[in-house]
Amino acid sequence: MDPDSLRALGRRFWYAWGTVTLASIAAVLATTVVVAPADPWLVALTGVLAVVFVALATVSQTQGDRLDAAGTVVAAVGWAVWSVGAAVGFPGRTFWTGWTLIAVGAAVGLWADHGHRVRAAVGV
């Protein structure tokens, strides 16, 4: 993504994107206050990160970076799993499931952004 292609999306897109992102963050924080345990900071943080990752995936998708968008969505699902897990005390496998989804999503996103450099370095 270069600055010119991001500017080409126009103000209408950015205002709508910002409005939906901020409304989603407010909804996550309001939900955290209602359902979170006595110490809700981890639930709020991971929930907000899930929203931010979905917002970033939306921008990647509009730029045609489908693989990057897919990786970012997978990482967002990992953050959402952690948020739910933190709200209920990380029962069973929620910690490692969330962590794995975050790591896989990050790896896919990195490959989407830098895979061409890796292929060039190894001669493929």
Side-chain angles (χ1 to χ4, degrees):
M1 287 183 271
D2 60 279
D4 292 332
S5 67
L6 293 173
R7 263 188 240 112
L9 292 173
R11 283 188 177 191
R12 184 176 180 186
F13 170 81
W14 289 111
Y15 285 137
W17 180 83
T19 301
V20 169
T21 301
L22 290 176
S24 298
I25 289 172
V28 164
L29 294 176
T31 303
T32 300
V33 170
V34 173
V35 291
D39 192 17
W41 69 270
L42 183 61
V43 178
L45 174 67
T46 54
V48 167
L49 284 171
V51 169
V52 168
F53 272 64
V54 169
L56 293 172
T58 303
V59 175
S60 292
Q61 180 66 28
T62 60
Q63 296 295 301
D65 296 333
R66 289 185 177 87
L67 186 59
D68 184 43
T72 307
V73 166
V74 170
V77 170
W79 286 115
V81 167
W82 262 14
S83 185
V84 170
V88 295
F90 286 114
R93 299 182 187 139
T94 57
F95 178 82
W96 291 111
T97 302
W99 189 90
T100 301
L101 287 168
I102 293 167
V104 167
V108 170
L110 283 171
W111 182 258
D113 292 338
H114 303 290
H116 64 284
R117 291 183 185 137
V118 173
R119 288 187 295 275
V122 297
V124 177

